[in-house]
């Protein structure tokens, strides 16, 4: 009972996340075209493409180095707002993983919390501003609750995944506040936030991957 | 797509790097950090380094202001998109003379996040980094890419002030204070008459009717205050200046009997002829208001690719700002009607 | 009509005077002879006066080149139309330092007739007047407004050479000889991607298809050699340079291993970004041909209102021309990537 | 028998010429639009409008001063090519009239010859180049022939006028050479030259005026 993700597992996750993101190009682009400047998928996809190419190297690194490398790469290849936000997230999360060989239940929580904190402090946004935070924040909150309740790893991972997906879905009725004009706030109404959706993709793939690793 | 766009380019994805390459070739005093979007001074100085940057498409901003007396490095992102922290770190590195670095940002969320991230990272390397944020555009309170006011052409005057203060040996905090003073006393506003096309996107970002202009539009085509029928130069001067002057008043800055630097900025496709006509109207209107123009700069200082339109910036001057504005500078972009006539006169 | 045009103007009939008025306001070293279309240096010098001019709409040409080290006066006609002899006489008068006047003309019949008429008239007043005619455009042999080749952006380099020679105290014939040498060694060619609108006419002078460019078009929209689909920066550089280099060869001027000044000129609406990309391609192509670029100037030097497009000019240099090119100058328009970086360095 | 034009007569002629030119705006503009840049009428009309305003002053001057004034005004107000050509013509013709009180038969010939010569030398064009010269040149040639034949003033004036008008008409089949691109030379074919037509208007009005002054 429990899961242990190595740096090799994380590299594998990156490959799977790239596939998922890459397959949803038109959809994500249309979301950003509706509420932003339309480049979110192109940005993210090029970042993950690069990571996918590097995956062979990544799996040979320590988790600490791997996360730092992912962070630097996302920062510079994704670019724009989401690049620096993901970059900050990974560089912050790396600190948790110094000297760690694997990511188990507890570390995964710390990693996701650290990412959330980094994103919130870098971008100065809160839950409810219709951003990627609106997928990650409920996931982290759910994680915390599950740990307090002491549910099984499998149930925890399933519930956290669902929270991330629901969180993205809930951006539909939010007004955009960050990175958008006030007069355009209503513009987002009825549309999902692209950054929240791609965040939920990554969490979905990661949590599914962890689910596959849970020893029963 | 590619070069079927009506632009003199090769591949749309390479425009920024190729531009910076061509720019360094034309300016032997500058160097281009290949692949990293940075233009910096070849001759390094032991002084505070002043670094600016942002999305490309605003040429001559920002690389055109690199040189003695202004910026030490400029960092270019893709067209209308913030440079990433890796590039900004390269800019900081190139500008580092051991006395600290001042980052001059325009207030866009992407720029803010990327520049402050780079500042955090270089803080780890033991480099003192401070930043100032220019929010000179009085048109709108929040915008597509900004929380709070946007930074536009007036930023060039902040480059000049900060660069001059650094050149004369000011400490990091002194350079920052000079830049802050300029920012406090700076107001701008623009208008646009046509759209522009980001090479990678290949079609115009918006459409304006045949006889329409948009007051307060941003330098990335972000919506302004309102669309109206095209107006005369005289009316345009009045609309933009009234809003700027009201804003000074709202901030409690008295303008009557003050002296200002005026920047009449073209957005790219507006002929110098029109900017000079507008300059004449601005002079007349400010004279009416009892405001003296100490210096006027007329030309393309911060563009929006091939957008037609203009912006006006005023910088209220005191003796310190005047002296810094008048200090010599040797940069490619800061010259039309100014560098040459005034700054270069020793 | 009037200002319903998409231009920042007041009345179409007043654009030239209002422009010159606004220009003099921005440049305290210049004066505007009101109603006479002349911009001249405030500080008069006892030396040969260099005067140029022509139709307006080519800003910063010609008034932007008035100042120490270049022109003493520039005479502006209406948009794309020669100034009349009365105005040219005023220019001659303003530039007269008692040592004679050199008129630098571009080869258009209207300019030729008006400038030579003015020369005849001032000859009667006892002023020594000589003229040189720039015909740098290798595109076509005769054109809408010219018998023989047209004069285009390379003219700015002739202003620089003649102005520098006059500034260093050359006699009228020496200044003329320097200008002639520059003209002999000068070749240019341009291309256009969009039309422009003369304010008084109010509609574009011609139409180019959405994906078309015209090779060899003149700076008033005069037809060039051919229309083609839009090409890459690399191809454009090759097309223009091949024709220029062939022309040098046909005149028996050996270019291999020579040094040149390069002018990458924008026609008005083409962003600096594109000009720099083109500059990179020109450098690469000339390097292949064994031609060394001593100096490159990139920017809007001689425009055609808001036309999109560019021209390339080469001036083959010898030691004298290099020295004159490098001589200091203080003018509003001759600076982007040059005046500032090179000329102003003392 | 004979005519004598005073400076007052010449001012009166200017008024009449202005009327004629002013009435034919659309026609002349269409001619220049077809073969040139379309501004010939606007240029010429503004020059003559100014002269018309000045006519009261002109009639008080000596012929010499009047012609110089007309020349300077045409030069600066008409502008472009035709302004300087007419300016040159009048300044040259003025020389003939130094110390003259009136223009009689002989002086009129000299005036027209001087104008022709000035225009040809300033513009470097010859008869047959499809320019204003193609109206003035045949008029001057005809004048010379009539004087040699010794015909009456009335017949002379009638024949010279006809020569000017025919000359303009004959530009229809000429190729434009001056002030136009070689590849545009054929463009003019079938069209009258605007400058030749307006020259013929002026000659027609002038010769008619002289005809009215012939003492029988
Ligand atoms: N300040 C912020 N905090 C958190 N997330 C943000 C912030 N600004 C933007 N985002 C997220 O980034 C997404 C857009 O990313 P992207 O299109 O790649 O960058 P850009 O906005 O620079 O074009 C948005 O959908 C939103 O989820
Ligand atoms: N070199 C020349 N010699 C004589 N007449 C000329 C010459 N060039 C042009 N013209 C005349 O001038 C007329 C055009 O005048 P106008 O339209 O006023 O000037 P522009 O050609 O400068 O626009 C032509 O129709 C022709 O008759
Ligand atoms: Mg986006
Ligand atoms: Mg973006
Ligand atoms: Mg004409
Ligand atoms: Mg004309």
């Amino acid at each position: 009972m429990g899961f242990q993700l190595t740096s090799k597992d994380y590299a594998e996750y990156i490959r799977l996340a790239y596939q998922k993101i890459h397959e949803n190009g038109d959809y994500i682009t249309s979301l950003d075209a509706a509420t932003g400047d339309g480049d979110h998928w192109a940005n993210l996809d090029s970042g993950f493409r690069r990571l996918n190419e590097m995956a062979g190297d990544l799996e040979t690194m320590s988790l600490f180095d791997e996360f730092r490398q992912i962070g630097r790469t996302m920062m510079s290849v994704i670019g724009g707002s989401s690049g620096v936000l993901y970059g900050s997230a990974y560089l912050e999360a790396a600190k948790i993983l110094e000297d760690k060989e694997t990511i188990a239940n507890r570390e995964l929580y710390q990693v996701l919390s650290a990412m959330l904190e980094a994103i919130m402090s870098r971008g100065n946004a809160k839950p409810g501003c219709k951003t990627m935070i609106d997928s990650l924040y409920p996931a982290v909150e759910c994680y915390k609750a599950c740990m307090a309740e002491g549910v099984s790893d499998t149930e925890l991972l399933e519930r956290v995944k669902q929270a991330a997906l629901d969180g993205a879905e809930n951006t539909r009725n939010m007004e955009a506040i960050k990175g958008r004009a006030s007069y355009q706030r209503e513009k987002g109404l009825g549309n999902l936030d692209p950054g929240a959706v791609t965040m939920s993709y990554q969490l979905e793939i990661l949590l599914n991957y962890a689910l596959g690793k849970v020893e029963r | 797509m590619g070069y079927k766009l009506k632009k003199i380019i090769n591949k749309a994805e390479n425009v920024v790097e190729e531009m910076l390459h061509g720019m360094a070739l034309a300016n032997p005093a500058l160097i281009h950090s290949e692949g990293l979007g940075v233009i910096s001074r070849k001759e390094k100085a032991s002084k505070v380094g002043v670094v600016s940057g942002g999305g490309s498409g605003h040429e001559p901003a920002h690389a055109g202001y690199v040189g003695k007396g202004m910026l030490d490095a400029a960092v270019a992102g893709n067209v209308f998109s913030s440079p990433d922290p890796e590039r900004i770190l390269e800019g900081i590195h190139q500008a580092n003379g051991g006395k600290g670095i001042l980052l001059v940002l325009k207030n866009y969320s992407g720029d803010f996040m990327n520049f402050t991230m780079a500042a955090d990272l270089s803080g780890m390397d033991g480099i003192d980094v401070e930043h100032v944020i220019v929010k000179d555009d009085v048109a709108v309170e929040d915008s597509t890419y900004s929380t709070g006011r946007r930074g536009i052409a007036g930023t060039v005057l902040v480059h000049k002030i900060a660069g001059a203060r650094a050149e004369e040996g000011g400490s990091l905090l002194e350079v920052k204070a000079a830049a802050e003073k300029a920012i406090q006393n700076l107001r701008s506003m623009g208008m646009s008459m046509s759209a522009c096309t980001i090479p990678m996107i290949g079609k115009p970002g918006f459409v304006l009717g045949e006889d329409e202009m948009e007051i307060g539009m941003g330098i990335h085509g972000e919506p302004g205050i309102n669309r109206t029928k095209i107006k005369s130069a005289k009316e345009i001067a009045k609309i933009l200046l009234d809003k700027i002057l009201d804003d000074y008043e709202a901030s409690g800055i008295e303008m009557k009997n003050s002296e200002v630097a005026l920047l009449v900025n073209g957005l790219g496709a507006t002929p110098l002829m029109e900017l000079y006509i507008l300059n004449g109207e601005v002079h007349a209107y400010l004279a009416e208001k009892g405001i003296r123009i100490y210096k006027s700069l007329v030309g393309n200082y911060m563009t929006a690719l091939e957008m037609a339109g203009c912006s006006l910036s005023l910088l209220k001057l005191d003796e310190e700002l005047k002296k810094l504005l008048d200090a010599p500078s040797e940069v490619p972009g800061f010259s039309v009607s100014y560098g040459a006539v005034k700054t270069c006169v020793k």
Side-chain angles (χ1 to χ4, degrees), chain A, chain B:
Chain A
M1 228 186 79
F3 60 89
Q4 304 270 342
L5 303 178
T6 61
S7 73
K8 183 156 182 197
D9 288 321
Y10 209 84
E12 187 55 27
Y13 148 68
I14 289 286
R15 292 192 182 98
L16 297 170
Y18 170 58
Q19 269 178 36
K20 174 81 182 182
I21 288 161
H22 191 68
E23 280 161 7
N24 285 277
D26 290 349
Y27 173 56
I28 301 298
T29 297
S30 72
L31 293 180
D32 197 31
T35 61
D37 61 354
D39 59 359
H40 180 59
W41 177 79
N43 295 344
L44 202 68
D45 185 63
S46 64
F48 269 90
R49 188 182 327 122
R50 178 72 65 84
L51 290 173
N52 186 57
E53 287 160 15
M54 295 165 53
D57 284 344
L58 291 174
E59 59 184 35
T60 66
M61 297 177 182
S62 70
L63 278 168
F64 177 69
D65 287 340
E66 183 180 33
F67 268 55
R68 282 180 59 95
Q69 185 60 56
I70 292 172
R72 289 250 165 188
T73 304
M74 285 190 163
M75 215 167 71
S76 66
V77 185
I78 298 178
S81 310
S82 45
V84 64
L85 290 168
Y86 276 104
S88 302
Y90 271 93
L91 295 189
E92 197 59 32
K95 293 179 187 164
I96 308 290
L97 300 173
E98 221 168 334
D99 308 323
K100 297 266 157 64
E101 300 267 301
T102 60
I103 302 174
N105 198 332
R106 172 165 198 81
E107 287 81 25
L108 186 55
Y109 173 71
Q110 290 173 324
V111 159
L112 296 180
S113 299
M115 286 181 163
L116 175 62
E117 209 169 294
I119 290 173
M120 285 175 61
S121 90
R122 177 67 58 213
N124 222 2
K126 293 197 184 65
C129 294
K130 197 175 180 107
T131 71
M132 55 174 71
I133 292 171
D134 293 309
S135 172
L136 180 56
Y137 174 79
V140 170
E141 286 297 298
C142 173
Y143 210 132
K144 196 180 350 176
C146 289
M147 292 201 305
E149 287 178 39
V151 303
S152 74
D153 277 13
T154 306
E155 187 180 340
L156 178 149
L157 293 171
E158 285 289 0
R159 279 170 60 180
V160 171
K161 176 173 80 177
Q162 200 52 48
L165 293 170
D166 291 349
E169 185 56 35
N170 288 337
T171 61
R172 191 185 300 280
N173 298 315
M174 294 176 183
E175 286 186 359
I177 291 169
K178 280 289 148 183
R180 248 146 251 142
S182 43
Y183 53 84
Q184 287 187 313
R185 280 184 190 162
E186 325 80 67
K187 201 178 151 187
L189 279 178
N191 276 303
L192 297 181
D193 176 63
V197 173
T198 53
M199 173 63 86
S200 75
Y201 286 172
Q202 291 166 71
L203 289 170
E204 179 187 15
I205 300 289
L206 179 61
L207 295 160
N208 274 342
Y209 188 87
L211 275 167
K213 290 279 168 176
V214 174
E215 288 159 16
R216 286 149 217 267
Chain B
M1 196 64 250
Y3 60 75
K4 290 298 176 220
L5 265 173
K6 232 175 190 185
K7 290 182 184 282
I8 305 176
I9 63 173
N10 294 305
K11 286 222 171 74
E13 33 304 17
N14 301 339
V15 293
V16 173
E17 277 298 304
E18 292 187 8
M19 161 180 79
L20 298 175
H21 173 71
M23 183 174 185
L25 286 173
N27 295 280
L30 304 182
I31 47 174
H32 171 214
S33 305
E34 269 177 54
L36 287 169
V38 171
I39 289 281
S40 59
R41 286 170 67 174
K42 192 172 276 169
E43 192 188 297
K44 307 292 177 190
S46 164
K47 61 170 205 55
V48 171
V50 183
V51 176
S52 190
S56 292
H58 306 301
E59 293 67 30
H62 300 83
Y65 304 118
V66 175
K68 195 149 187 261
M70 283 183 82
L71 303 180
D72 296 283
V75 189
N78 286 329
V79 176
F80 294 175
S81 167
S82 173
D84 61 73
E86 207 81 59
R87 292 176 169 220
I88 300 165
L89 282 173
E90 167 69 10
I92 290 172
H93 173 75
Q94 290 292 343
N96 187 13
K99 302 280 167 77
I101 297 287
L102 181 71
L103 301 176
V104 180
L105 280 66
K106 298 193 299 312
N107 188 40
Y108 297 100
S109 355
D111 286 347
F112 179 77
M113 292 190 260
N114 282 284
F115 277 84
T116 53
M117 172 100 202
D120 293 353
L121 293 171
S122 53
M124 297 179 200
D125 297 350
I127 304 178
D128 255 6
V129 180
E130 292 283 337
H131 72 262
V132 294
I133 304 179
V134 184
K135 324 180 171 192
D136 54 330
D137 188 346
V138 303
V140 294
E141 283 310 317
D142 291 289
S143 179
T144 319
Y145 307 110
S146 70
T147 304
R149 291 184 171 180
R150 300 173 297 216
I152 58 170
T155 308
V156 177
L157 298 171
V158 180
H159 296 161
K160 180 69 180 74
I161 298 296
R165 191 72 186 88
E167 203 71 48
E168 66 179 26
S171 69
L172 179 53
L173 290 184
E174 286 167 344
V175 174
K176 182 177 178 183
E180 288 288 12
K181 189 200 256 187
I183 290 170
Q184 294 312 318
N185 287 286
L186 185 65
R187 300 290 184 282
S188 302
M189 187 157 140
M191 61 75 100
S192 168
M193 298 186 293
S194 77
C196 60
T197 300
I198 298 178
M200 284 290 280
I201 294 183
K203 56 171 197 273
F206 60 93
V207 177
L208 270 166
E210 268 210 1
D211 56 352
E212 277 182 339
M213 56 183 241
E214 181 159 331
I215 301 289
M217 180 171 276
I219 56 175
H220 314 93
E222 309 99 291
I225 300 177
N226 66 319
R227 291 199 176 182
T228 71
K229 300 279 160 201
I230 189 84
K231 294 186 188 300
S232 71
K234 191 187 179 81
E235 291 168 300
I236 292 168
K238 180 172 160 40
I239 291 170
L240 301 181
L241 289 173
D242 278 347
K243 187 108 167 95
I244 287 173
L245 295 177
D246 284 354
D247 198 83
Y248 275 114
E249 198 177 316
S251 341
I253 300 181
E254 169 73 31
M255 293 302 282
K256 197 162 169 127
N257 298 320
S258 69
E259 283 188 294
V260 297
L262 162 69
L263 177 63
V264 179
N265 176 57
L267 292 181
T270 285
L272 208 43
M273 170 183 275
E274 299 174 33
L275 300 179
Y276 280 130
I277 292 174
L278 184 62
N279 185 48
E281 296 299 340
V282 172
H283 275 250
Y285 194 67
L286 290 183
E288 259 178 47
K289 297 278 171 185
I291 297 170
R292 197 174 101 71
I293 298 176
Y294 177 72
K295 185 160 290 185
S296 33
L297 294 86
V298 181
N300 288 349
Y301 288 88
M302 186 167 298
T303 59
L305 294 169
E306 67 285 348
M307 211 185 260
C310 67
S311 65
L312 298 179
S313 302
L314 298 187
L315 172 61
K316 182 179 168 169
L317 300 170
D318 62 7
E319 291 311 310
E320 183 197 10
L321 292 178
K322 274 195 219 172
K323 193 192 69 190
L324 294 171
L325 196 61
D326 284 340
S329 64
E330 288 155 18
V331 305
F334 197 69
S335 45
V336 174
S337 90
Y338 177 80
V341 170
K342 281 275 191 162
T343 308
C344 291
V345 179
K346 298 285 153 77

